[in-house]
Amino acid sequence: MQSLSEHLNSKLEQERSGSHHASSSKLLMLGALGVVFGDIGTSPLYALKESFTQTGLAVAPENIYRFLSMIFWLLLIVVTLKYVMVVMKASNKGEGGDFALLALVQRLTRPSPSLFYMTGLLGVMAGSLFYADGVITPAISVLSAIEGIQVVAPSLHTIELPLAMVILICLFLGQRFGTGKVGNLFGPIMLLWFSTLGIFGLLQIVHAPEVMQAVNPLFALKFIITRPFLSFMALGATVLSVTGAEALYADMGHFGAKPIRAVWLAIVWPGLILNYFGQGALLILHPKAIENPFYLLAPKALSVPLLILAAMATVIASQAVISGTFSITKQAIQLGFLPRSHVVHTSEREVGQIYIPFANWLLLLVVAATVLSFGSSGKLASAYGLAVSGTMLVTTLLTFFVIRYCWHYKLTLALGATLLFFLVDVAFRSANVSKFLDGGWFPLASGAVVFVVMSTWQSGRRRMLQTMYESRLRLDAFLESLMRHPPERVPGNAVFLVADKTAVPHSLIHNLKHNKVLHERNVFLTIDIEDIPAVPREERLEFEPLGHECYRAVLHFGFKEDPDVPAALALCAAHGLQLEVMETSFFLSREKVVAAPGRGMSRWRERLFAALVRNSGSIVDYLNIPPNRVIELGTVVEL
């Protein structure tokens, strides 16, 4: 989600250049508070409670200290040290997130085919698990908030599931309207939320100040040494306290690293720690409060307002993940990991606010099925930990390549910088594997489906382009031969799209075959999506005259940009070629993929790829070409 976005982009540029004022910095921080921290900010609803539930340990002071010590040090190591201090420095031209990191790493490892393939595989795995996280986060967040009804009005507990479904359905139905207007409220609401977390926690700590001794890491270390199995189980539960840490990195490109770091250190981290320790203090005094320690922190008179505020916070957390899903889907499409899909811009001024109908309805369907299948936040907690721990592990591995190949640290230093994070992530992952049958299978199954689709699309596209490359005719030689006995030239401009700038477009061959004419001016156009977020205007166009009023052009776009071919072709005017859109015909090839046995991919994957090609979105919409200026000519490609 991109709340406050109509003001933030200009403010972000000022912040990055060092010329920003205090007011712009505060605006960025408020925006980051509303967008970035919703997921991790709602973890106190269930994290400490699930630590006792999943381990079965008694609600005794010693165990409370153990869990709180683990949570405190996990927030310090995983969020503050790993993400805030290290990972957020591994930016791709200021952008973060799984695919931005993957694009950066693949650019660095391109000289080594084995490393390039391995990092690509890791990136696809991270993207696949992100989608699983995108399903579980709205489900567990809304369910955990609504379960506060059991504290406020126990007799109404039967409406929890229907109410959660209504909230989620309304949330997804509202996506097509955009999030700009609602987003302006998110920052203040989350500021109130974290203030409430801290105040309620502090008020309880006053009654049992001894709980603060849990800051001592010896409680966690002794637990790990003396009770390895139970501490292993506890680690699988306490990982819930750091869910949402990936959002700090993913949203870095919109808000900048400095505001996110400032908000985390000044507001979010203190609020979370105070609330967790406040819950611990409550459990020391009233062990039976384990039923729902978060809601029982509040005075009874404030239970209903807290329930409403929690519901709002979980909707914000869900909104951030849903909008993040749209954003990462667009990046995956641009980078060639997913087929084209219709993208709707919900803001006239902010390109970051997008809505992808297919992704929205598919996500709603899967989230609704998840809520109905699991039925409670407790049952979903096992699934959540496995998805989060997998994504964190892949991020650590990819960050190693940045430290080694981008920052050029020695191998020993690169290993040392990531070893602690790697060990923690592996421990997270291993601890959650034991919950496979209790719901952990769900993110793995969801991720596996997405992984198959993404890897099949990537492999299929590569094989399709390779097949077309092997059968290509060289453009220079073809034009030389053609112009010896030129066909009839007709007035106007023709733009022929071709994937390989050295090859003859199939659409040109079919046009000559069927219409037997050549336009007065002809441009052979290739679209190149770079592994950087945005390409500067001065680097947008490569232009080369080929003679006889024929030209080769390559348009470069970043993976966060929307390709606008007509607007980009206006740059040809600087080279003496005026291309009026309404006087130009765009010739495209529509490939029909036919599965052929024995060509490398298994038969079922060939059929899956062919189905994905048939159902992919229109390239005309993708390139923003006026439909009434397009001529599509078909060609058959065997895989």
Side-chain angles (χ1 to χ4, degrees), residues 497-556:
L497 269 76
V498 60
D500 180 2
K501 67 179 183 179
T502 67
V504 178
H506 286 91
S507 55
L508 172 62
I509 295 174
H510 289 300
N511 184 50
L512 290 170
K513 178 180 178 181
H514 294 290
N515 299 321
K516 299 179 175 58
V517 296
L518 192 66
H519 281 71
E520 185 180 359
R521 289 172 295 276
N522 300 275
V523 178
F524 305 103
L525 178 64
T526 299
I527 307 298
D528 197 356
I529 303 298
E530 303 290 347
D531 50 13
I532 57 176
V535 173
R537 176 182 171 84
E538 59 272 16
E539 299 176 16
R540 177 79 69 208
L541 172 68
E542 284 183 50
F543 189 84
E544 179 186 356
L546 301 175
H548 306 284
E549 292 290 343
C550 295
Y551 308 89
R552 178 186 286 125
V554 180
L555 294 178
H556 300 273

Side-chain angles (χ1 to χ4, degrees), residues 308-325:
I308 295 172
L309 181 60
M312 295 172 70
T314 55
V315 167
I316 292 171
S318 303
Q319 176 63 65
V321 173
I322 294 167
S323 298
T325 301

Side-chain angles (χ1 to χ4, degrees), residues 232 389 425-435:
F232 194 64
S389 60
D425 293 334
V426 168
F428 276 156
R429 188 71 171 167
S430 303
N432 281 280
V433 166
S434 63
K435 303 174 188 175

Side-chain angles (χ1 to χ4, degrees), residues 263-281:
V263 170
W264 168 254
L265 295 172
I267 299 173
V268 179
W269 191 19
L272 292 175
I273 294 298
L274 287 174
N275 194 264
Y276 282 122
F277 277 70
Q279 291 184 43

Side-chain angles (χ1 to χ4, degrees), residues 1-7 174-189 316 319 323 346-350 353:
M1 185 203 64
Q2 310 290 348
S3 70
L4 303 172
S5 54
E6 295 181 357
H7 303 285
Q175 295 303 310
R176 63 191 180 95
F177 299 110
T179 58
K181 293 181 180 178
V182 179
N184 292 327
L185 299 173
F186 284 3
I189 290 173
I316 292 171
Q319 176 63 65
S323 298
T346 59
S347 171
E348 294 182 359
R349 289 183 287 178
E350 174 50 58
Q353 289 189 19

Side-chain angles (χ1 to χ4, degrees), residues 44 110 131 153 169 174 199 271-272 275 306 389 395 399 412 419 446 473 475 482 550:
R110 196 177 299 276
Y131 285 102
I169 290 172
I199 291 170
L272 292 175
N275 194 264
L306 181 60
S389 60
T395 298
T399 304
T412 52
L419 183 58
S446 303
L473 297 173
L475 179 60
L482 181 67
C550 295

